[in-house]
Amino acid sequence: MSVTRSRIVGCGAYLPERRVTNHELAGRLDTSDEWIRTRTGIGQRHIAAEGEKTSDLATAASRDALTNAGMSPDDIDLIVLATATPDLTFPASATQVQANLGIAHGCAFDVHAVCTGFIYALAVADNFVRVGQSRGALVVGAETFSRILDWNDRGTCVLFGDGGGAVVLTPGEGEGDSGDRGILSTHLHADGRQRDMLYVDGGPSTTQLAGHLRMEGRDVFRHAVVNLAEAVDEALGANGLEGRNVDWLVPHQANRRIIDAIARKLELPPEKVVMTIDRHANTSAASIPLALSEAVHDGKIRRNQLVLLEAMGGGFTWGSAMVRW
Ligand code: ACO
């Protein structure tokens, strides 16, 4: 039987040039490399240059993804940009990416699900592709969280970084083995009752200012482990798989201890988990496409392998995607 699935045919990444180490932060805050590393696994983060916007990061990652897919901007008829740090309140930063790439056809919009944003955007684009509404979709996660951090709050500012990642989706049709390749499932969740545990204390219709990120770290941690464990079970169950069938776990990179807990639950050894948190910190919606891009270009993720993506973020939102590469 012929199955139409969306396939990821190219991945791309962009990280701002400036790297800020834990030691540098310890020079201006009451913190230490040792505290940050043991609690989170983070060693450094990239920070966007002055004037470097989310759409710039997204555009660079998109260009990289298009090159790796062997496609041109003309082949793209859908851009879904996951971001919680848009250039402006409107228009959508996706339209700036579209203009930067010289595309004047198709549609472009932002999706906002904070750290789960890339999974949400992937699910939306996957549905467009599978119903035939898109022949070439750019799914991008890009963030400049450095702009919404309270740099005097050591409990949050050490955790995040800036970056952009992108994938290109096309419809894949075929029989047997090749027909099974592509996005096998996506599952999305939200529970708005938990929105006060992780939020930004500003916005156009409340303070008219962008605001700063606020978080109840311990509660977020506790919910993340529970919700992500349920999300991976759901993805495995929907596909008739077990944890040991997964070749690669590509998790949202929020905290090494959260990632380790999920890997243990799946009974996956550390070498099957793509880990970038040490170098990128938490880049919110960009973290999964950045990690995917790195793992593909390092030759880790290969054709026909099973790749499980999962994320959780403010809202709370959480979700998963199972991909046969
Ligand atoms: N350096 C040194 N000390 C610090 C720092 C810091 N950067 N930050 C907090 N502390 C202190 C606190 O003040 C506290 O001191 P006290 O005991 O004297 O009051 C002590 O360290 C312990 O603080 P906790 O917040 O209880 O530390 P915890 O072990 O919970 O670790 C952390 C905090 C790392 C934020 C953890 O709760 C966490 O990772 N939570 C998940 C948050 C997260 O990942 N958010 C991202 C968005 S959601 C997502 O992507 C899943």
Side-chain angles (χ1 to χ4, degrees):
M1 198 182 85
S2 180
V3 182
T4 302
R5 294 197 194 282
S6 321
R7 287 199 185 138
I8 298 177
V9 295
C11 295
Y14 175 78
L15 288 161
E17 208 176 304
R18 178 153 185 251
R19 285 185 297 122
V20 175
T21 62
N22 294 343
H23 292 291
E24 185 177 337
L25 289 181
R28 46 185 150 105
L29 276 172
D30 183 13
T31 189
S32 66
D33 179 57
E34 201 262 332
W35 193 97
I36 300 170
R37 272 185 202 277
T38 34
R39 291 298 218 288
T40 69
I42 296 166
Q44 62 167 42
R45 70 285 295 137
H46 291 253
I47 300 292
E50 209 182 317
E52 197 174 31
K53 301 186 295 293
T54 292
S55 63
D56 297 322
L57 278 50
T59 302
S62 298
R63 287 207 169 101
D64 191 30
L66 283 168
T67 302
N68 291 319
M71 289 168 67
S72 90
D74 285 345
D75 302 320
I76 296 301
D77 54 23
L78 169 68
I79 301 174
V80 189
L81 169 60
T83 188
T85 45
D87 295 4
L88 299 169
T89 301
F90 80 80
S93 301
T95 60
Q96 182 66 60
V97 175
Q98 187 199 32
N100 292 349
L101 293 173
I103 303 173
H105 61 269
C107 64
F109 55 89
D110 291 358
V111 161
H112 186 160
V114 207
C115 298
T116 321
F118 182 75
I119 303 276
Y120 269 61
L122 191 70
V124 169
D126 175 43
N127 287 328
F128 267 69
V129 170
R130 282 190 297 114
V131 300
Q133 212 170 342
S134 169
R135 302 287 304 169
L138 254 179
V139 186
V140 194
E143 303 277 19
T144 47
F145 260 49
S146 61
R147 309 267 157 74
I148 55 162
L149 294 174
D150 175 350
W151 286 100
N152 295 313
D153 176 11
R154 65 177 183 171
T156 54
C157 75
V158 302
L159 304 174
F160 297 91
D162 300 336
V167 302
V168 182
L169 299 186
T170 59
E173 288 153 64
E175 307 256 323
D177 173 59
S178 60
D180 284 343
R181 288 180 53 234
I183 299 176
L184 305 183
S185 66
T186 57
H187 290 93
L188 306 180
H189 296 278
D191 181 354
R193 291 171 304 175
Q194 319 287 352
R195 54 202 302 286
D196 292 345
M197 289 189 201
L198 177 56
Y199 67 101
V200 169
D201 61 5
S205 86
T206 48
T207 62
Q208 293 80 57
L209 300 167
H212 291 116
L213 184 146
R214 306 291 174 207
M215 180 177 74
E216 302 293 335
R218 275 201 185 168
D219 291 326
V220 173
F221 191 98
R222 202 163 38 83
H223 278 86
V225 174
V226 173
N227 291 345
L228 292 173
E230 283 175 15
V232 299
D233 274 346
E234 185 179 36
L236 293 171
N239 292 288
L241 297 165
E242 291 178 25
R244 60 184 164 76
N245 301 128
V246 172
D247 293 296
W248 293 102
L249 176 66
V250 185
H252 166 52
Q253 312 278 321
N255 183 309
R256 189 178 184 119
R257 291 183 295 149
I258 298 176
I259 297 172
D260 288 345
I262 302 305
R264 274 198 301 278
K265 183 181 164 42
L266 288 166
E267 295 180 26
L268 282 184
E271 57 273 17
K272 290 193 162 196
V273 180
V274 178
M275 197 77 83
T276 57
I277 185 149
D278 50 329
R279 288 158 292 124
H280 301 173
N282 182 347
T283 56
S284 184
S287 90
I288 291 180
L290 274 169
L292 265 181
S293 179
E294 188 174 289
V296 168
H297 295 121
D298 287 353
K300 289 181 170 170
I301 295 178
R302 295 189 310 274
R303 196 181 171 96
N304 280 319
Q305 288 189 323
L306 262 182
V307 181
L308 175 56
L309 318 178
E310 46 86 340
M312 139 116 186
F316 289 136
T317 54
W318 66 101
S320 69
M322 185 74 81
V323 184
R324 168 86 57 199
W325 207 261

